[in-house]
Amino acid sequence: MSGTSAALTPPADAVAPVRHPDAPAPGELLGAHYEHCFGCGGAQPHGLHLEARAGEGVTISAEFTVRTVHQGAPGLAHGGVLATALDETLGSLNWLLRTIAVTGRLETDFLRPVPVDTVLYLEAEVTAVAGRKIYCTATGRIGGPDGPVAVRADALFVEVKVDHFIDNGRPEEIRAAMNDPDQIRRARAFEVNP
């Protein structure tokens, strides 16, 4: 993407990302990482309910339908909601690396308006890894997976330990997630930027 800031340019010693051997298979629906997540959780009545699928290599595809509750200007998606959809899709990439990481920087370009009732087709990929830093990019298209680009973003995610969430989250939600008897759901609650 042109105009990317220096903070989002991988350093010379960055390496190509490597898909974890236990990552979901290409085409597999990832599901919500946490039911109360605004981006992907089913328990959020006004959330995005974004659905992401593993792609080839270290890529993700996702879809989300802009609803009336997501509008900013009359009949159009709010820019912050579109940035959230990009962030959620980019964060889902960390499941393919099997890394807990949070958004460090997100630069978004808004190229076309996205009307209410439009499906936003998102694609994201990790482009490089340098230590704890994960560099990635995403696009959101309208009119179909090959339609015109409406939004795009470059991002930097930073690998963290689960303590990041335990030390900073509200205790009641942290306890509920930690006490979930389903080990997979418990682990997934802390996988991507909440």
Side-chain angles (χ1 to χ4, degrees):
M1 179 169 123
S2 62
T4 300
S5 73
L8 293 176
T9 302
D13 62 347
V15 297
V18 177
R19 183 189 187 100
H20 193 279
D22 296 331
E28 186 175 329
L29 185 65
L30 299 183
H33 73 89
Y34 177 57
E35 66 182 19
H36 296 288
C37 174
F38 181 79
C40 65
Q44 287 288 349
H46 300 302
L48 305 186
H49 302 165
L50 186 136
E51 293 189 348
R53 291 188 181 279
E56 298 290 335
V58 190
T59 67
I60 292 282
S61 63
E63 293 180 10
F64 122 82
T65 301
V66 178
R67 296 182 290 143
T68 303
V69 296
H70 302 136
Q71 68 188 313
L76 297 175
H78 189 288
V81 169
L82 296 175
T84 300
L86 288 162
D87 184 52
E88 184 68 26
T89 304
L90 289 158
S92 295
L93 289 164
N94 296 310
W95 178 234
L96 301 180
L97 299 173
R98 299 297 294 261
T99 299
I100 300 171
V102 296
T103 310
R105 186 175 185 100
L106 177 71
E107 290 186 12
T108 306
D109 293 315
F110 301 94
L111 306 171
R112 297 177 185 273
V114 180
V116 169
D117 295 327
T118 296
V119 176
L120 190 64
Y121 298 88
L122 297 136
E123 292 185 3
E125 73 173 311
V126 177
T127 58
V129 176
R132 295 176 45 225
K133 295 180 177 181
I134 302 164
Y135 297 85
C136 42
T137 188
T139 58
R141 298 174 181 270
I142 56 176
D146 297 319
V149 174
V151 292
R152 63 184 176 202
D154 286 321
L156 169 65
F157 279 74
V158 180
E159 184 177 352
V160 296
K161 302 295 182 200
V162 75
D163 291 351
H164 168 85
F165 301 97
I166 294 168
D167 294 345
N168 296 293
R170 281 195 331 177
E172 51 269 34
E173 280 92 353
I174 297 298
R175 272 194 303 276
M178 295 296 280
N179 291 332
D180 192 321
D182 183 322
Q183 289 183 348
I184 293 173
R185 270 201 331 240
R186 183 171 56 238
R188 295 237 21 226
F190 300 103
E191 280 176 354
V192 299
N193 189 22

